[in-house]
Amino acid sequence: MSVISDIAAELADDARTAAMAPVESVKDAKYTLEGIREGRVSPATVLKTAGITLGAAVVVALLLFPLYWVAVGAFSGTGASLYSSSGIRLWPADPTIEPFLWVIGDLIVPSYRISLGLGGYEVFLQTPELTFLDVSQYGVTETSEFKRFFANSLTVAIPTVILAMCLIVPSAYALSRRQFIGRSKVLYGYVLFTQIGGGLGVALLIALYALFVQFGFNDSKLALSAYYAATAVPFNTWLLKTYMDGIPVSYEEAAMMDGAPSWKIVTEIILPLSKAGLATVFIFTFLTGWTEFVVAQTLLSTDNYTLPVGLYSLVGRYSIPWARFSAFALTFAAPIMLIYLFAQRYIEGGLSFGGMEG
Amino acid sequence: MSVVDSAVERVADSPVVSKDDLPLLLVLPGLFVFLAFMLFPVLYLVYLSFTNAEPATLFQGKEQWVGLANYVTVLSDGQFWNSMGVTWLFVATSVALKVLVGLGIGLVVTGERVRGKRFMRALIIIPLGLPGIFTITIWRGIFSSAEFGLANQFLRMAGLDSIAWLSERWMAFLAYNVTEAWLAYPFMVIITVSALQDVSEELHEAAMIDGAGFFARFLHVTLPSIKRPVLFASILTAAASFQQFLIPYVFNQGGPSRTNELLIVYGYREAFRFQKYGEGAAIMLVAVAVIGVFMMLNVKKGQLADGVDDA
């Protein structure tokens, strides 16, 4: 799994940079102070820089304040009046992780009794009960349906990824390396859809719903996965094609000279070299199924709600305090945000949006 | 020689598809699935828009062809024109807001004297990674009339009265705009920053030597150089605003009393709330046609497809 070790190396790099940042800025500050003392830098310039930087930092802080506010809310106690009307708190009133316990609920693997018939004898195996987290110990009696939504989301997202990868990888290879009839038309169509087709999903919803009902597919998580895979095809095919375009053709030529058949060139050269692109496409297709809301909400019944629909079902339910709602939302969104931002960075090198040369 | 072999040979000999086109087989499955879930529903939507389909009739196979009746009903409905008007107003105000915010933030995080710019830029695009439904439900909480509602807390801090954001027409509209701006600002900032970094240093220095101040330089050097990328971004984001569905839907279902139903919300609700699939389909198709024409005009006028044409 060299992708994972690559990612680990990058993360370590980031951590080092982050850890060194204060040291570096102290060095900078020292250098500036020396400059002032020796009269090389005028104090006015330094003050101006500091002021402007502070102003920029305030702008950034204001932009991200809603997220901070959600986090503060999620760690607050679940009183009915969470915030006194005295104003905005920068720190949770009564810090607690109770809302998160409500979201996650018990993590207990119940014990199973397995009986085996062995030629007249019967052997019973009793698996032990595994308790990872028992929230009732912390005074949380009723819990959210997060785990059920999570399981539903997984059963939608995993088939989406499998199907999408099966469709995307061969297309991307063919579009990147082979010439055939209609190639530029397919490519043009995919790019066009990527640019303007994003909102088509809701517009098509009526037809999609009617068709799914008539085929008996409504409330089928597998059919929903197939739909997600289909919508993921244009952008991700184009992305992977662009990535594969960056692999030098000379590698393949060398392998061809050595007499490698073309399938071997694909498995030994193209696929290993595009692993970062494959990882990115994997993440993007996974997130397609994991985060989509409108179609899932229309097609699925309450039992099959995925996480986004589950989150929406909590909106405006006054029995659910804001603290619990924020905790639910954060538990859903925080991992996605981290994965997404990392994926974005990881592909920066491979992805250039001008990479549309025939 | 089996039948299959001769069939392969015939295909190979045909002038349209040759043996060299075998890689097409690798592309076809993806294309087929994509078209099955995209093109086919489009055709079916067109069909539905010419029928009186409702759940009661459609799922029995008893829908009837009514010709253009749905389009006549929709286009002569005041509710539709209200939606159309609100949608374009939303496009205008939200795009203006997004461009201003994007440009403002872009200038701040590329400022010459600002330290730690890269760090700030990394922080600022965080909302890009958040799922839309998360962001929008959170902003609904911000504009909530309940005690935790952040917007009202700010008002109270400033000594003003609370506002029932989501049950007053123009306050709800304002809330839509603010949320849309927050949703889209990372995209606008990314485009603006990369455009600002391409502004020629030399022009700035020349202008400075000629004695131009900050605002004069911004007006005559920066703006003309970033005009094209920002225009491109605003056209893309205008299309996103036009198709906005989640914000009104999650905030108050396009209310109060249907005044703020953007076009897509209007079509959705006609179909799924009021069970008029035929009319809903007609509304959606009109919306798609309008945005299609709008995009085409912009692409033609702004020559935006330059980069794609040689594909």
Side-chain angles (χ1 to χ4, degrees):
Chain A
M1 291 315 276
S2 59
V3 177
I4 290 176
S5 62
D6 279 4
I7 291 176
E10 283 223 8
L11 279 180
D13 220 35
D14 284 356
R16 218 171 300 132
T17 317
M20 290 304 283
V23 182
E24 292 290 325
S25 43
V26 167
K27 259 190 207 159
D28 270 3
K30 260 192 190 150
Y31 182 77
T32 316
L33 276 179
E34 241 165 63
I36 294 174
R37 214 175 299 141
E38 290 168 17
R40 271 185 289 122
V41 188
S42 84
T45 326
V46 176
L47 273 182
K48 211 170 162 190
T49 303
I52 290 178
T53 304
L54 192 71
V58 168
V59 170
V60 173
L62 278 180
L63 276 175
L64 297 180
F65 186 73
L67 292 180
Y68 182 72
W69 174 74
V70 176
V72 168
F75 284 104
S76 301
T78 42
S81 59
L82 185 57
Y83 288 94
S84 60
S85 44
S86 60
I88 298 143
R89 285 178 187 279
L90 290 179
W91 195 248
D94 174 20
T96 167
I97 57 163
E98 191 266 356
F100 287 96
L101 291 178
W102 171 80
V103 171
I104 294 169
D106 292 330
L107 294 178
I108 297 173
V109 181
S111 91
Y112 290 104
R113 201 178 156 92
I114 305 162
S115 65
L116 298 166
L118 290 172
Y121 295 96
E122 244 185 307
V123 181
F124 288 106
L125 284 174
Q126 181 100 23
T127 62
E129 191 186 78
L130 296 174
T131 306
F132 296 104
L133 176 68
D134 181 3
V135 292
S136 58
Q137 287 178 346
Y138 301 90
V140 180
T141 45
E142 36 113 38
T143 58
S144 77
E145 294 170 290
F146 189 88
K147 275 179 296 186
R148 191 162 59 78
F149 299 145
F150 187 88
N152 285 334
S153 276
L154 270 188
T155 49
V156 170
I158 291 173
T160 304
V161 170
I162 295 172
L163 183 57
M165 291 304 260
C166 291
L167 298 174
I168 289 166
V169 177
S171 313
Y173 167 71
L175 289 169
S176 169
R177 284 299 195 262
R178 303 300 185 89
Q179 282 300 333
F180 52 87
I181 189 165
R183 176 179 168 280
S184 58
K185 283 199 187 72
V186 172
L187 209 53
Y188 190 79
Y190 280 179
V191 174
L192 208 65
F193 180 82
T194 311
Q195 294 293 321
I196 60 171
L200 212 57
V202 186
L204 287 185
L205 202 55
I206 300 168
L208 207 61
Y209 178 74
L211 284 171
F212 271 47
V213 170
Q214 281 170 355
F215 282 110
F217 285 161
N218 65 319
D219 206 17
S220 151
K221 288 185 270 184
L222 204 61
L224 191 63
S225 308
Y227 169 75
Y228 290 150
T231 56
V233 162
F235 174 71
N236 291 291
T237 305
W238 177 61
L239 187 72
L240 193 59
K241 180 248 170 206
T242 316
Y243 196 89
M244 285 177 172
D245 286 346
I247 301 170
V249 187
S250 51
Y251 293 173
E252 286 155 81
E253 284 165 355
M256 230 179 313
M257 293 299 273
D258 292 343
S262 52
W263 64 267
K264 201 147 194 194
I265 294 179
V266 172
T267 56
E268 304 268 316
I269 296 178
I270 302 282
L271 290 182
L273 282 178
S274 44
K275 62 190 174 184
L278 289 172
T280 313
V281 168
F282 184 94
I283 290 171
F284 280 168
T285 47
F286 184 85
L287 290 185
T288 309
W290 196 259
T291 59
E292 202 282 334
F293 164 70
V294 185
V295 179
Q297 196 234 8
T298 312
L299 293 181
L300 296 178
S301 69
T302 324
D303 281 341
N304 284 333
Y305 273 3
T306 54
L307 272 172
V309 191
L311 177 70
Y312 176 72
S313 72
L314 300 181
V315 168
R317 248 203 257 164
Y318 291 104
S319 55
I320 293 176
W322 179 249
R324 289 183 167 177
F325 179 82
S326 332
F328 191 104
L330 274 183
T331 317
F332 164 58
I336 300 171
M337 186 185 79
L338 293 178
I339 293 172
Y340 185 87
L341 290 181
F342 192 76
Q344 283 270 348
R345 257 207 48 189
Y346 198 62
I347 56 165
E348 247 169 37
L351 178 69
S352 66
F353 277 88
M356 275 300 296
E357 82 290 354
Chain B
M1 206 108 225
S2 70
V3 185
V4 178
D5 281 346
S6 63
V8 167
E9 222 164 73
R10 238 182 302 132
V11 169
D13 288 345
S14 80
V16 185
V17 181
S18 72
K19 220 175 180 178
D20 297 334
D21 292 330
L22 274 178
L24 185 62
L25 290 178
L26 296 176
V27 178
L28 280 182
L31 195 61
F32 173 76
V33 173
F34 171 66
L35 292 181
F37 281 93
M38 280 292 150
L39 191 66
F40 186 54
V42 170
L43 298 178
Y44 193 64
L45 192 70
V46 174
Y47 166 72
L48 281 183
S49 75
F50 290 113
T51 67
N52 64 351
E54 292 172 16
T57 56
L58 182 63
F59 300 134
Q60 315 279 317
K62 283 183 193 149
E63 75 274 16
Q64 276 163 354
W65 184 268
V66 292
L68 288 170
N70 285 326
Y71 290 92
V72 173
T73 319
V74 165
L75 292 176
S76 57
D77 187 355
Q79 192 69 48
F80 172 80
W81 292 107
N82 175 59
S83 281
M84 188 65 107
V86 170
T87 308
W88 281 111
L89 186 65
F90 179 69
V91 170
T93 52
S94 69
V95 168
L97 191 62
K98 284 188 269 191
V99 169
L100 282 180
V101 168
L103 204 55
I105 300 171
L107 284 174
V108 166
V109 296
T110 51
E112 220 176 294
R113 289 180 174 280
V114 179
R115 294 285 171 269
K117 276 179 281 203
R118 277 185 50 199
F119 180 63
M120 283 181 190
R121 267 178 239 155
L123 277 182
I124 250 177
I125 59 160
I126 282 180
L128 202 61
L130 296 169
I133 187 73
F134 167 83
T135 311
I136 292 166
T137 49
I138 291 305
W139 276 90
R140 187 186 194 273
I142 289 177
F143 288 112
S144 165
S145 327
E147 216 164 325
F148 58 78
L150 187 63
N152 277 342
Q153 286 186 37
F154 271 117
L155 286 184
R156 258 176 269 142
M157 242 173 35
L160 298 169
D161 285 337
S162 305
I163 292 175
W165 291 96
L166 301 183
S167 39
E168 282 174 37
R169 179 176 187 184
W170 295 112
M171 287 302 146
F173 186 76
L174 180 67
Y176 294 176
N177 274 287
V178 173
T179 310
E180 172 72 20
W182 200 80
L183 270 178
Y185 88 81
F187 169 72
M188 298 303 284
V189 168
I190 288 173
I191 304 263
T192 317
V193 164
S194 71
L196 283 171
Q197 283 169 338
D198 286 345
V199 175
S200 125
E201 246 347 274
E202 283 145 37
L203 278 181
H204 263 292
E205 277 162 19
M208 247 193 280
I209 288 168
D210 290 346
F214 178 80
F215 287 103
R217 268 184 291 138
F218 177 73
L219 221 61
H220 298 294
V221 178
T222 312
L223 266 191
S225 350
I226 63 168
K227 206 175 80 190
R228 267 186 66 85
V230 170
L231 197 70
F232 175 71
S234 29
I235 287 164
L236 283 186
T237 202
S241 286
F242 186 90
Q243 298 166 330
Q244 183 53 259
F245 171 81
L246 269 185
I247 295 178
Y249 183 76
V250 169
F251 273 27
N252 53 12
Q253 305 262 327
S257 52
R258 306 196 73 183
T259 45
N260 281 332
E261 280 180 359
L262 302 189
L263 263 183
I264 302 283
V265 182
Y266 174 53
Y268 179 91
R269 275 170 55 88
E270 280 298 312
F272 291 110
R273 181 89 200 335
F274 302 104
Q275 318 288 352
K276 293 180 196 152
Y277 285 7
E279 274 179 37
I283 295 163
M284 293 300 194
L285 284 171
V286 172
V288 169
V290 169
I291 191 68
V293 169
F294 173 75
M295 288 299 282
M296 223 132 70
L297 285 179
N298 279 310
V299 168
K300 281 249 166 65
K301 265 182 98 180
Q303 286 146 7
L304 295 174
D306 282 356
V308 183
D309 269 347
D310 50 30

